[in-house]
Amino acid sequence: MDSAYFVGRSEILSWINSTLHLNLTKVEESCSGAIQCQLMDAVHPGMVPMHKVNFDAKSEYEMIQNYKVLQDVFSKLKITKHIEVTKLVKGRPLDNLEFMQWMKWYCDSINGGVLHNYNALERREACKGGKEASKKFAASQSSAKNSTTGSRSHTSHNSRRHEATSTVNSSNQSGKTSRPSSSCGSPVYDEQITELKLSIDSLEKERDFYFSKLRDIEILCQSHEIQDSKVVSAIKKILYAGEDDAAVVADAQAMVSMATQKEAETRTEGITDNRANLETQKRKVIQNHDIDAVGITTLSPRLRISGVSDVHCSGSHLTSY
């Protein structure tokens, strides 16, 4: 696989939020297609008709309209990337993650990923629901600032309280000094969580791949031309077997072997019948030759003489009796 598909979720989310001034928390929130349209507008200014983009798309029909706008932009730029709209609009994390990984790779390949004087908030105001998305971002930014200010004041208050009570309770002081060590380990846990998420994503992709292969085999086995075959029946037996059915493989092999044996017997019978017919035809030919020979030898002398005289008479003009 290309190295572009190994970018983590957190990196993708931070890139989207910093580029478009949004506050996404999940990659699957990009399933509407509006974010992809604005990313293309950021790297190719003026190519995307932003007034046709709907940031408030909730239904699949509205999302498909956004992807139509994106597909038109791809066609104008001669981008051959296939957009699997039916999968993306379902909001599945893995499908949207892969497409956003490709989007990041493409945007980084244009001008080194550098955006010159792109105002994401202003461009989004032309979209349907774009103002609401910008308001949510502003509200999240203000709440983040308030929480930061509150945490700072709370920290200063705790430090004063700690200074006032440090001489009274030494055990509390030791407990508080031990807390930074646990906080220092949080990046390690975050890295482990990220690795686990990536492994889960790869396993889900592998599962979907093999499931699609099994589905193709099932569709092939359901075709009218071969669905009555014993081999196809054995394949279906394995496909539809439960987890506890351990003898299903042996039964399927027995079905195939019996079918092969019957086919061999049928071929043998056909060959035997053909040989018998040939022998019968040979016997008939030989009997016909024997009958002709016997008929010639059994003719009477008078018939032979008359036959000869007839020949002589027919050849002469003067004949006396």
Side-chain angles (χ1 to χ4, degrees):
M1 294 179 63
D2 194 272
S3 60
Y5 293 98
F6 289 95
V7 181
R9 294 171 181 265
S10 58
E11 186 175 351
I12 292 292
L13 289 172
S14 61
W15 170 67
I16 295 173
N17 293 333
S18 61
T19 304
L20 303 181
H21 299 294
L22 292 171
N23 57 341
L24 299 185
T25 57
K26 297 179 180 178
V27 178
E28 53 268 28
E29 293 179 15
S30 64
C31 64
S32 66
I35 293 173
Q36 291 88 330
C37 290
Q38 190 169 11
L39 287 172
M40 294 301 295
D41 182 69
V43 295
H44 297 287
M47 289 294 297
V48 182
M50 294 299 291
H51 63 279
K52 294 183 180 180
V53 180
N54 185 4
F55 268 85
D56 196 27
K58 296 293 189 298
S59 64
E60 290 187 5
Y61 173 76
E62 294 173 333
M63 296 177 185
I64 290 172
Q65 295 301 318
N66 288 335
Y67 283 107
K68 285 183 179 180
V69 175
L70 183 64
Q71 186 63 63
D72 292 339
V73 175
F74 278 16
S75 300
K76 291 178 183 178
L77 297 172
K78 297 182 180 180
I79 299 174
T80 59
K81 172 66 176 176
H82 176 64
I83 304 175
E84 297 182 350
V85 180
T86 55
K87 292 183 179 181
L88 294 174
V89 296
K90 299 296 182 183
R92 292 190 294 186
L94 182 59
D95 296 327
N96 285 274
L97 175 62
E98 288 183 353
F99 191 69
M100 292 310 301
Q101 285 172 337
W102 181 88
M103 287 293 299
K104 186 178 187 307
W105 169 83
Y106 177 79
C107 293
D108 290 343
S109 65
I110 304 299
N111 298 326
V114 178
L115 304 178
H116 300 286
N117 301 324
Y118 182 74
N119 192 337
L121 298 175
E122 182 180 354
R123 290 290 294 168
R124 195 159 53 240
E125 289 181 357
C127 307
K128 181 180 178 181
K131 294 181 179 180
E132 287 75 8
S134 299
K135 289 179 181 179
K136 290 180 182 179
F137 171 74
S140 65
Q141 290 294 103
S142 62
S143 62
K145 290 180 180 179
N146 293 332
S147 62
T148 304
T149 306
S151 62
R152 288 178 181 176
S153 62
H154 183 68
T155 304
S156 62
H157 177 70
N158 286 338
S159 63
R160 292 175 184 176
R161 185 178 178 182
H162 175 69
E163 290 175 358
T165 58
S166 59
T167 57
V168 179
N169 192 355
S170 59
S171 62
N172 290 336
Q173 183 180 3
S174 62
K176 290 179 181 179
T177 56
S178 63
R179 287 177 186 173
S181 62
S182 62
S183 63
C184 293
S186 59
V188 178
Y189 293 133
D190 292 339
E191 185 177 355
Q192 292 178 355
I193 291 171
T194 303
E195 292 178 356
L196 290 174
K197 287 182 178 179
L198 290 175
S199 63
I200 290 172
D201 290 340
S202 62
L203 289 173
E204 288 178 351
K205 185 176 180 180
E206 186 176 2
R207 178 201 62 190
D208 295 339
F209 173 78
Y210 286 111
F211 178 79
S212 64
K213 293 296 182 184
L214 291 174
R215 178 57 181 161
D216 294 338
I217 293 172
E218 183 183 23
I219 293 172
L220 179 63
C221 292
Q222 290 174 353
S223 60
H224 296 287
E225 292 81 4
I226 61 172
Q227 64 178 354
D228 297 330
S229 174
K230 293 295 183 182
V231 177
V232 173
S233 300
I235 294 174
K236 289 182 178 179
K237 190 176 185 63
I238 296 175
L239 284 176
Y240 301 141
E243 295 180 357
D244 298 333
D245 195 356
V248 63
V249 178
D251 295 341
Q253 289 177 350
M255 292 174 63
V256 173
S257 62
M258 289 177 62
T260 305
Q261 185 177 359
K262 287 182 180 180
E263 185 178 358
E265 291 176 355
T266 303
R267 290 179 180 177
T268 305
E269 291 177 357
I271 293 171
T272 304
D273 293 338
N274 291 333
R275 289 179 178 176
N277 292 330
L278 290 174
E279 291 293 333
T280 303
Q281 292 177 359
K282 287 180 181 179
R283 289 175 184 176
K284 287 182 180 179
V285 172
I286 293 171
Q287 288 177 359
N288 290 333
H289 284 294
D290 294 341
I291 290 171
D292 294 338
V294 170
I296 292 171
T297 54
T298 55
L299 288 174
S300 62
R302 182 179 296 177
L303 291 174
R304 289 188 218 166
I305 294 171
S306 63
V308 172
S309 63
D310 290 340
V311 172
H312 286 294
C313 292
S314 62
S316 174
H317 295 281
L318 299 174
T319 303
S320 60
Y321 296 95

